[in-house]
Amino acid sequence: MRFQRLLQMRRLATTAPLLRPPTQTKTTVRTMAGSGAPMPELTQITDNVQRGNYAALSDKDVTHFEKLLGKNHVLTEDLEGYNICFLKRIRGNSKLVLKPGNTEEVAAILRHCNERKLAVVPQGGNTGLVGGSVPICDEIVLSLQRLNKVLSVDEVTGIAVVESGCILENFDQRARDVGLTVPLDLGAKASCHIGGNVSTNAGGVRVVRYGNLHGSVLGVEAVLANGQVLDLMSNFKKDNTGYHMKHLFIGSEGTLGVITKLSMLCPHSSKAVNVAFIGLNSFDDVLKTFVSAKRNLGEILSSCELIDERALNTALQQFKFLNAPISGFPFYMLIETSGSNGDHDEEKINQFIGDGMERGEIQDGTVTGDPGKVQEIWKIREMVPLGLIEKSFCFKYDISLPLRDFYNIVDVMRERCGSLATIVCGYGHLGDSNLHLNVSCEEFNDEIYKRVEPFVYEYTSKLKGSISAEHGIGFLKKDYLHYSKNVVAIDWMREMKKLLDPNGILNPYKVLN
Ligand code: FAD
Ligand code: MLT
Ligand code: ZN
């Protein structure tokens, strides 16, 4: 049989939990490496941030919040986990974490903060990769953790209404209970919140199929800086009544309002899911295989991811429980199909792989429709970013580039960094032209930093790409926004910010500089 080798899916070991929030505090250095590394120095100091003209938190404020939320939901101790970003790169010095339990409490908090001119950072699962979800100075952390309910899931319309602090994986499980699925999936699903996802307009691994959240989110409820509740909820796909204001809150990273609730259109979950993990000899073959996947898998193609050799090998070295079905190729692709007819889909994907092999574009691989094995293959992809983060310090870039130029920057960067870098690798959402370029070194290193930035942004800008495809701007990229947005657009962003948040209390030091 032609695909026999492919169809023999090798057993992969059971997987470990994905994400653990950082907890320990040790010594201070500027910025650091891997999970066991010491905590970085406060970002306000390392980056010489001038604190905005905000009021200082007083005991009276704390008492006010305790009366409003109850003492249990007002934290003043053990705040390290809320002050440090997932990458352990940005570290703030907040003295107060507030955990409201409903929209009215969020509104009352913001009303008070606005009157008092106290700065606030909204925080979801704190898995963001651009330093947007943690304080830079002493902003109050507004955690959405307790707004975690799925309010309704309608299997007829496919519309789900959910509070913003619901963990993505929990939301998806509730949707799956009635045969639906959340049209968003990413490696941080066990920790990130749906509100955080919407606030960053998170992409993930199924954009090629479902589009981004601007399309799937039907409505939002957001609390403005002055405490007003803006109800933009909608249960319809079509609603052209006036300006589409919900889009202002999708991807604005908590700088324009705090999302408390949203409605989302959830597609029916697919009966048949097949995943192929294939090895290829060149990026040219990767592109040919992508074109062939779009042409031949068409309506059932649900994901198309790329992992290069170095990215894969790092994950395999870091996480021994992973077991790649094939090895020895410079490029790997994970291609998923989701459809309603198992036999039909299996035939299609086998044909697609067989043809690719005959043409010499695909070298080897495995394909499976077994749900457990599908998950095990996905686990390899999901562990790639964590492998790099665990291993050492990692400069991370999330860029959109024209497909023909997609991988060149990885080679260019490898050359530029030479032996200063331990790993220069690329992986990402090929199907959406979104590359994750990662440059690793033992620890933060100013020389390598200067070789990488702003070069990577200039390079991207010359190709008319985006310097932030899906992670957002946050704190880490705010000085580079102009590489992807012109002056007029940035000026209007500032005007909109002033209009909605005249005192600038919502997530200061982020997105705009
Ligand atoms: P947080 O990190 O807490 O916050 C992110 C931003 O949103 C901050 O600016 C914060 O202020 C704001 N915010 C949070 N909640 C609200 C709210 N309710 N109202 C207003 N503002 C709010 N991202 C992708 O796009 N695609 C991926 O494939 C992907 N994979 C990842 C894999 C791993 C292993 C990790 C660690 C991260 C990954 N990310 C990915 C990045 C991250 O998970 C996403 O940006 C995610 O959407 C953040 O959600 P969160 O709840 O953790 O938000
Ligand atoms: C991913 O696709 O794995 C994420 O966006 C995280 C990353 O860029 O490393
Ligand atoms: Zn990604």
Side-chain angles (χ1 to χ4, degrees):
M1 245 187 74
R2 198 155 47 134
F3 315 129
Q4 207 166 19
R5 194 146 169 235
L6 285 168
L7 294 168
Q8 279 166 359
M9 164 73 195
R10 270 172 49 189
R11 171 101 183 75
L12 299 170
T14 353
T15 49
L18 247 190
L19 296 168
R20 267 166 251 103
T23 44
Q24 87 268 47
T25 320
K26 287 199 220 144
T27 55
T28 56
V29 289
R30 189 186 186 282
T31 38
M32 32 51 60
S35 62
M39 280 290 172
E41 175 58 282
L42 294 174
T43 299
Q44 188 182 0
I45 295 172
T46 57
D47 289 57
N48 200 11
V49 179
Q50 174 85 38
R51 185 181 182 277
N53 192 18
Y54 300 107
L57 185 72
S58 70
D59 289 346
K60 255 173 94 179
D61 294 315
V62 177
T63 310
H64 173 85
F65 291 128
E66 284 176 347
K67 277 196 195 132
L68 186 69
L69 309 177
K71 282 193 174 184
N72 286 347
H73 306 308
V74 176
L75 312 186
T76 52
E77 283 170 8
D78 296 329
L79 307 186
E80 290 89 349
Y82 299 91
N83 269 311
I84 183 84
C85 80
F86 187 87
L87 295 174
K88 286 213 236 159
R89 191 158 168 197
I90 301 301
R91 182 171 162 224
N93 192 21
S94 179
K95 304 288 185 222
L96 185 68
V97 174
L98 300 176
K99 295 189 175 184
N102 54 47
T103 303
E104 291 68 37
E105 289 181 356
V106 175
I109 290 169
L110 290 186
R111 210 173 301 123
H112 180 84
C113 290
N114 196 43
E115 276 160 18
R116 284 269 299 121
K117 291 204 172 57
L118 291 165
V120 177
V121 51
Q123 191 175 88
N126 198 11
T127 67
L129 297 173
V130 289
S133 52
V134 287
I136 299 303
C137 298
D138 57 350
E139 300 88 281
I140 295 170
V141 175
L142 177 58
S143 166
L144 279 307
Q145 265 170 34
R146 288 178 62 225
L147 272 75
N148 58 8
K149 288 187 281 302
V150 178
L151 300 172
S152 61
V153 184
D154 185 334
E155 61 182 297
V156 176
T157 59
I159 294 167
V161 180
V162 60
E163 289 183 334
S164 61
C166 185
I167 289 176
L168 175 59
E169 196 168 59
N170 298 347
F171 179 26
D172 189 55
Q173 192 49 57
R174 275 292 303 280
R176 280 180 191 275
D177 290 345
V178 297
L180 300 172
T181 185
V182 175
L184 168 78
D185 189 7
L186 62 157
K189 61 189 156 213
S191 301
C192 62
H193 294 180
I194 190 66
N197 300 146
V198 172
S199 301
T200 53
N201 187 27
V205 295
R206 302 246 155 60
V207 175
V208 75
R209 173 66 160 265
Y210 300 120
N212 68 29
L213 291 174
H214 283 283
S216 312
V217 173
L218 299 184
V220 300
E221 175 186 85
V223 181
L224 300 178
N226 66 5
Q228 255 184 348
V229 179
L230 189 53
D231 182 348
L232 302 168
M233 292 296 283
S234 166
N235 281 345
F236 293 97
K237 227 172 158 177
K238 300 184 76 170
D239 174 17
N240 274 354
T241 50
Y243 303 147
H244 290 215
M245 293 205 303
K246 70 175 180 198
H247 293 295
L248 280 181
F249 302 95
I250 304 174
S252 54
E253 302 179 59
T255 60
L256 299 181
V258 176
I259 298 178
T260 44
K261 195 162 79 178
L262 55 107
S263 55
M264 185 171 279
L265 190 60
C266 297
H268 283 266
S269 33
S270 304
K271 288 190 201 134
V273 176
N274 284 285
V275 165
F277 190 83
I278 54 180
L280 307 97
N281 274 340
S282 68
F283 187 70
D284 199 38
D285 286 343
V286 168
L287 279 189
K288 285 180 182 151
T289 303
F290 174 52
V291 172
S292 165
K294 285 208 294 186
R295 190 169 291 141
N296 298 303
L297 300 175
E299 76 293 349
I300 58 168
L301 180 67
S302 52
S303 198
C304 185
E305 298 283 306
L306 173 77
I307 312 175
D308 77 6
E309 188 178 21
R310 288 173 176 85
L312 180 71
N313 290 346
T314 309
L316 297 179
Q317 278 162 17
Q318 287 300 118
F319 307 113
K320 297 292 180 213
F321 60 86
L322 295 175
N323 188 4
I326 50 169
S327 61
F329 299 98
F331 296 99
Y332 299 88
M333 288 175 83
L334 191 162
I335 295 176
E336 184 192 75
T337 62
S338 307
S340 55
N341 183 325
D343 291 343
H344 163 268
D345 295 359
E346 207 178 305
E347 195 183 319
K348 263 187 140 172
I349 195 165
N350 287 344
Q351 180 79 41
F352 153 75
I353 292 171
D355 291 349
M357 286 182 88
E358 258 177 22
R359 288 192 301 269
E361 292 157 10
I362 298 173
Q363 300 307 317
D364 198 359
T366 185
V367 64
T368 181
D370 177 283
K373 289 174 179 148
V374 164
Q375 272 196 17
E376 287 168 1
I377 297 259
W378 267 116
K379 191 60 83 181
I380 299 172
R381 166 63 183 89
E382 288 170 1
M383 296 313 278
V384 165
L386 295 171
L388 289 155
I389 295 167
E390 288 264 316
K391 191 173 166 65
S392 53
F393 182 84
C394 192
F395 292 100
K396 295 182 73 63
Y397 302 96
D398 157 45
I399 50 190
S400 283
L401 289 171
L403 272 181
R404 282 191 183 79
D405 298 299
F406 192 77
Y407 194 78
N408 294 345
I409 188 159
V410 182
D411 293 327
V412 170
M413 200 51 89
R414 206 169 278 145
E415 175 107 34
R416 252 183 98 76
C417 294
S419 59
L420 284 173
T422 48
I423 308 164
V424 178
C425 66
Y427 56 91
H429 316 292
L430 181 87
D432 316 318
S433 293
N434 176 187
L435 174 75
H436 295 312
L437 164 71
N438 284 244
V439 180
S440 298
C441 43
E442 290 308 332
E443 55 187 31
F444 180 90
N445 173 329
D446 226 23
E447 205 182 325
I448 201 164
Y449 181 43
K450 284 189 201 128
R451 289 204 194 181
V452 184
E453 293 185 27
F455 177 83
V456 64
Y457 299 121
E458 285 164 0
Y459 186 100
T460 305
S461 180
K462 273 185 200 142
L463 290 168
K464 308 237 176 305
S466 169
I467 64 141
S468 174
E470 57 170 10
H471 295 163
I473 296 294
F475 178 77
L476 282 173
K477 297 184 182 173
K478 69 182 168 36
D479 294 336
Y480 304 111
L481 186 60
H482 62 278
Y483 285 105
S484 282
K485 284 268 177 301
N486 65 47
V487 180
V488 179
I490 295 177
D491 280 351
W492 276 105
M493 282 174 67
R494 276 190 222 290
E495 291 302 315
M496 281 153 79
K497 169 73 178 170
K498 268 192 235 155
L499 184 70
L500 289 172
D501 180 15
N503 292 329
I505 63 158
L506 278 179
N507 219 359
Y509 323 107
K510 315 286 170 59
V511 182
L512 291 161
N513 59 13

